[in-house]
Amino acid sequence: MTHHHAESPLGFSTAAVHAGQDFDPTTGAVVPPVHFSSTYAQDGIGGLRGGYEYGRAANPTRSSLQTQLAAAEGGGHAFSFASGLAAEDALIRGVMRPGQRIVMGNDAYGGSYRLIDRIHGNWGIANTPLDLSDHDAVAAALDADDATVLWVETPSNPLMAITDIAALAEIAHSRSALLVVDNTFATPYLQRPLSLGADAVVHSTTKYIGGHSDVVGGAVVLGSDAAADDLAEQVGFQQFAVGAVSGPLDAYLTTRGLKTLGVRMDRHCSNAQAIAEHLVDHPAVDRVLYPGLSDHPGHELAKAQMRGFGGMVSVQLRGGNPRRGRSPRAPGCSSWPSRWAASSR
Ligand SMILES: Cc1ncc(COP(=O)(O)O)c(C=O)c1O
């Protein structure tokens, strides 16, 4: 794989293998034990050993994963949750209040839109879905007094649209809005949104970070400046007060997956490139959506802000239902998110 990149996270895999994974001081075990205990003995009332008291508040296996996730994203704080959507929910409820608005891509993952529209919408958080490649439209939507969060997913699931993180960070910050990036498809190995100006990164760790289809999870990762510390207070409080935390075994499996993320992503990138190039000439395929193809509209941008093009490829098949049309990104088309919103996934 070609590493054309603005920023290359030197030592990514070293950090992924070692951050938060100190050997066990009692036995010397090089892999920290999985801690299933819900409750912790104290040296007298309030005399906590290492800050642990009760598993919803903190668990050593979850703490290891959180340290490892923060290091992988080059951030200062990470919070691990029972699913990607639980992570998104904690972030949104931590940093937003009823009466505020979230501006987001009209091709975000359908489950994220369902959460934001049908759950947060009922609690007074409005949303404006739009085409994130139209920066004027994004700026205009953020000019609304109630707009406080800009939500970006790049590459997007499943249309593989690439969004300019640094440009949108500038637009969001000039209007005092927070920029959130869903980095699930890219992974921190290929893209570091915090270094491009994002205020928060969310993940479905169920995908590449877990990496073995045996664990569902999610994460919020924040930066390391004073503003990030404030956000961390809010997100940490949601995690503690609501409790949609990763269980110990989930946290352990996610940690084990993250250790090998780098080598797996290199292979995913080369496999996806080969498959995408092969499908371009396939008679049943109308269009291949992969940012590694030079005719993809986000190709140059992906080259600049990612270290590789990722492992996800989508195709539009020839034929199909003529009433629906074949263009998945008809301008202003909001039928995609709402149609997916109805799905049960
Ligand atoms: C881009 C993206 N974000 C968020 C999620 C939600 O994560 P989870 O399914 O772990 O709740 C998904 C899951 O499919 C996803 O693909």
Side-chain angles (χ1 to χ4, degrees), residues 81-88 108-112 114 151 153-158 182-185 202-207 215-219 312 345:
F81 294 89
S83 72
L85 291 179
E88 294 179 12
Y109 167 60
S112 297
R114 180 179 56 208
W151 189 279
E153 185 184 302
T154 180
S156 66
N157 174 5
D182 184 333
N183 205 27
T184 299
F185 268 27
V202 296
H203 279 285
S204 171
T205 56
T206 315
K207 310 291 156 32
V215 58
V216 172
M312 298 303 297
R345 251 181 318 143

Side-chain angles (χ1 to χ4, degrees), residues 7 9 12 15-16 19 66-75 183 187-189 191-192 203 209 221 258 261:
E7 162 248 1
F12 177 89
Q66 293 180 158
T67 302
Q68 186 195 23
L69 284 165
E73 281 289 359
N183 205 27
T187 81
Y189 181 69
Q191 174 170 278
R192 291 278 196 81
H203 279 285
I209 289 179
V221 188
L258 180 48
L261 181 70

Side-chain angles (χ1 to χ4, degrees), residues 145-169:
D145 287 342
D146 59 355
T148 61
V149 167
L150 175 59
W151 189 279
V152 168
E153 185 184 302
T154 180
S156 66
N157 174 5
L159 297 179
M160 303 303 296
I162 305 295
T163 295
D164 189 335
I165 296 172
L168 290 196

